[in-house]
Amino acid sequence: MAAAQAGVTSALSRPKSGWNHHYIQQLMQARQAYWQGNPLRAIQEYAQLIHHAPQRYLADLYGEQGNVYYRIGAFYAAGNDYIHSFRNLIREKNLRGARTLIPIVAQINPYAAYQLTIQLNHQETNHHGGTTDYGNTLAVSASYRRPF
């Protein structure tokens, strides 16, 4: 999250249509709660956002909430949120973004990371017409993808 404070952008930095002022304000409140050392309030705000957010923002929201859980040592919850983020990135066809989460999940739950790798390889094979592209697999496009 320190990267988010430094100005690294994600899809949520500039919310698009479908987000009204209330949701943008709630996102800022969740981030501010985290930055001010109130992770439980941040988690409550993220949970509400996840419940109401347009699907295209779920990957980022789960990732940011996962960072909060990770920082407070709730690694199981963090891993679950990173897995939800991964699945939403796959749904969005953001395969590179999904790949960046696998090493993080592997630190928390190696078996889940193995399953995600299989799922991602399957998606990459289908996406590239039968060949898997492993180029630039470490690209990070949003701040939440590196919680430590």
Side-chain angles (χ1 to χ4, degrees):
M1 274 318 240
Q5 291 174 312
V8 176
T9 61
S10 74
L12 293 173
S13 296
R14 287 173 255 113
K16 297 178 180 21
S17 64
W19 274 63
N20 65 31
H21 178 72
H22 171 74
Y23 295 125
I24 295 169
Q25 184 178 9
Q26 191 171 14
L27 173 63
M28 294 301 115
Q29 289 174 348
R31 289 176 175 171
Q32 185 175 22
Y34 174 77
W35 295 330
Q36 292 178 346
N38 191 346
L40 297 180
R41 192 174 120 237
I43 290 167
Q44 290 172 341
E45 297 287 345
Y46 280 118
Q48 289 178 12
L49 282 165
I50 288 167
H51 183 70
H52 298 289
Q55 189 169 355
R56 68 182 172 270
Y57 295 117
L58 291 178
D60 286 324
L61 289 170
Y62 275 115
E64 288 189 22
Q65 181 175 261
N67 284 350
V68 177
Y69 279 123
Y70 191 93
R71 292 289 183 180
I72 65 172
F75 300 117
Y76 182 80
N80 282 338
D81 277 350
Y82 295 142
I83 291 168
H84 283 296
S85 180
F86 175 93
R87 290 186 177 139
N88 280 283
L89 288 166
I90 292 291
R91 189 176 299 120
E92 297 168 9
K93 306 291 188 223
N94 183 348
L95 304 182
R96 285 188 178 173
R99 185 164 292 284
T100 64
L101 289 170
I102 291 174
I104 299 165
V105 172
Q107 291 181 11
I108 299 167
N109 185 339
Y111 183 70
Y114 171 74
Q115 291 178 319
L116 296 178
T117 301
I118 291 170
Q119 182 181 353
L120 181 60
N121 288 342
H122 178 73
Q123 289 294 322
E124 287 177 330
T125 301
N126 290 339
H127 180 73
H128 294 289
T131 61
T132 304
D133 175 20
Y134 292 105
N136 297 321
T137 58
L138 296 179
V140 178
S141 60
S143 62
Y144 70 84
R145 297 210 174 95
R146 293 273 181 194
F148 35 86

